[in-house]
């Protein structure tokens, strides 16, 4: 029986990536030792690190105006790093609230800087929606504008990018980085915890416009300091070397698949199969407006919620893992990142059909 893992994060990795890592585990690059056992300052690791950055730059079309950092502390580490690095004395940070993760980012930022929160949720009759980006009431002055293009828990994704005449745009792309085409130049800071679309947890990828490295910010730990990390090639202290290596294996896999455009087609196709089925069914519902439905995280509810436990038990028996919704929103959630094959979606829909038939 095939097993498909729908976990929101840490999420499944492509089997080809796991096999490659397994093959190289005890003997990396013919050195007779694992990548985990070598100095990050010695040539083999430094070369891998450089190639990894170059690969990410190609995949996302990142220009020299940006530094690419491989940092510790995952997504939440960046919830603190962003305000610490970008704080200005004379302007508040603006946090756009579209759901649970953007709310969490704002709460953390308040410890380090003045925060203005703007709620742009536009929920009607139990249906989740978001105001179009052009209608967001952004203030004239801000140290930066933070938003979350994909709300992993709420299943809400924003496909338009906000703009501002002066304030940098900061995006938490933890759960959608590399899943579809974006224009990096529309952003000033992009960050992502690795464990959804990139690799092991703990690593954070940060893409930051170099001009922002000059901001003084507030006193902060060296490991969360963008300027220090940029100057030191992300090796101010020992970086998470295994996670960095595995990210490189994932980036190679992405290149072999045809890069981000191929992922975008793959992800749109997968999401369409699942949403179309849910919409056509009177057994399941999705509560998100069609124009802001996530391609990565598909929450759905059984109309009869007393069947939830049975649905979870039987789906697990069928090899469909981790479909339980986040405890804050309930119901079910299928996280279908880059690594999830179409066959996994087909298996899920087949199971959902059968379950609906047997319980109607
Ligand atoms: C998972 C996630 C995070 C948190 O990542 P950690 O590495 O657990 O800190 C932050 N933002 C978004 C959008 C996420 O999906």
């Amino acid at each position: 029986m095939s097993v498909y893992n729908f976990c929101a994060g840490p999420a499944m990795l492509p089997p080809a990536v796991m096999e490659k890592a397994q093959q190289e585990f005890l003997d990396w690059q013919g050195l007779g030792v694992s990548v985990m056992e070598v100095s990050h300052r010695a040539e083999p690791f430094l070369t891998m690190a450089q190639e990894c950055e170059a690969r990410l730059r190609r995949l996302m079309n990142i220009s020299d105006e940006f530094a690419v950092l491989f940092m510790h502390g995952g997504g939440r580490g960046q919830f603190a790093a962003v305000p610490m690095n970008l704080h200005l004395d004379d302007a508040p940070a603006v946090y756009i609230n579209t759901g649970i993760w953007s709310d969490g980012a704002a709460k953390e930022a308040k410890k380090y800087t003045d925060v203005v929160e703007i709620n742009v949720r536009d929920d009607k009759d139990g249906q989740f929606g978001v105001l179009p980006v052009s209608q967001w009431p952004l203030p004239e002055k801000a140290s930066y504008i933070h938003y979350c293009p994909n709300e992993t828990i709420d299943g809400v994704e924003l496909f338009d990018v906000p703009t501002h005449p002066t304030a940098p745009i900061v995006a938490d792309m933890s759960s959608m980085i590399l899943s579809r085409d974006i224009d990096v130049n529309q952003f000033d800071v992009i960050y992502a915890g690795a464990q959804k679309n990139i690799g092991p947890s703990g690593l954070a990828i940060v893409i930051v416009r170099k001009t922002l490295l000059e901001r003084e910010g507030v006193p902060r730990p060296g490991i969360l300091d963008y300027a220090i990390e940029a100057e030191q090639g992300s090796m101010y202290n020992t970086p998470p070397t295994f996670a960095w290596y595995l990210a490189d294996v994932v980036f190679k896999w992405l290149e072999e698949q045809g890069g981000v455009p191929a992922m975008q087609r793959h992800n749109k196709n997968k999401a369409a199969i699942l949403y179309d089925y849910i919409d056509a069914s009177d057994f399941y519902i999705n509560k998100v407006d069609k124009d802001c439905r996530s391609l990565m995280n598909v929450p759905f509810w059984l109309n009869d919620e007393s069947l939830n436990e049975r649905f979870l038990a039987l789906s697990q028996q069928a090899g469909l893992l981790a479909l339980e919704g986040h405890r804050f929103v309930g119901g079910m959630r299928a996280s279908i990142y880059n690594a999830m094959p179409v066959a996994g979606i087909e298996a899920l829909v087949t199971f959902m059909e059968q379950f609906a038939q047997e319980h109607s």
Side-chain angles (χ1 to χ4, degrees), residues 73-77 79 101 148 150-152 172 174-175 193 195-196 202:
R76 276 189 189 273
F79 286 3
W101 279 117
C148 181
N150 186 62
E151 287 281 4
T152 321
D172 174 3
S174 294
S175 53
Q195 69 272 29
K196 279 93 185 211

Side-chain angles (χ1 to χ4, degrees), residues 268-296:
K268 282 193 170 167
N269 176 39
K270 286 185 305 185
I273 295 171
L274 190 48
Y275 285 118
D276 285 351
Y277 170 68
I278 294 168
D279 287 343
S281 144
D282 47 23
F283 195 84
Y284 305 98
I285 44 167
N286 171 279
K287 301 179 189 172
V288 181
D289 276 356
K290 285 191 177 164
D291 56 2
C292 57
R293 283 178 170 179
S294 171
L295 298 175
M296 297 282 98

Side-chain angles (χ1 to χ4, degrees), residues 186-348:
Q186 290 182 290
F187 300 88
D188 299 281
V189 179
I190 290 170
Y191 67 87
Q195 69 272 29
K196 279 93 185 211
N197 253 336
I198 293 175
S201 58
L203 175 70
I205 305 273
V206 181
I207 302 164
V208 52
R209 202 176 278 282
K210 286 177 182 165
T211 49
L212 287 174
L213 301 176
E214 285 154 25
R215 283 204 185 174
E216 192 180 329
V218 298
R220 53 195 175 274
I223 59 163
L224 293 181
D225 190 307
Y226 293 161
I228 290 178
E229 289 290 6
E231 196 186 290
Q232 308 258 339
S234 304
M235 295 189 190
Y236 169 68
N237 71 329
T238 312
T241 54
F242 188 74
W244 195 334
Y245 150 81
L246 208 73
D248 187 50
V249 183
V250 170
F251 296 160
K252 277 184 202 148
W253 176 82
L254 279 172
E255 286 185 329
E256 286 160 17
Q257 304 303 304
V260 175
M263 281 302 124
Q264 174 163 321
R265 286 193 295 277
H266 170 63
N267 290 326
K268 282 193 170 167
N269 176 39
K270 286 185 305 185
I273 295 171
L274 190 48
Y275 285 118
D276 285 351
Y277 170 68
I278 294 168
D279 287 343
S281 144
D282 47 23
F283 195 84
Y284 305 98
I285 44 167
N286 171 279
K287 301 179 189 172
V288 181
D289 276 356
K290 285 191 177 164
D291 56 2
C292 57
R293 283 178 170 179
S294 171
L295 298 175
M296 297 282 98
N297 310 95
V298 181
F300 61 91
W301 285 260
L302 277 62
N303 269 323
D304 177 359
E305 295 219 73
S306 70
L307 292 169
N308 281 359
E309 268 177 44
R310 194 166 163 74
F311 181 93
L312 286 168
L314 292 182
S315 58
Q316 185 165 349
Q317 273 174 32
L320 307 168
L321 307 187
L323 285 167
E324 187 168 8
H326 191 279
R327 62 191 189 283
F328 289 178
V329 292
M332 308 295 156
R333 171 175 54 168
S335 292
I336 53 174
Y337 303 113
N338 286 347
M340 177 60 67
V342 178
I345 309 295
E346 286 165 349
L348 174 59

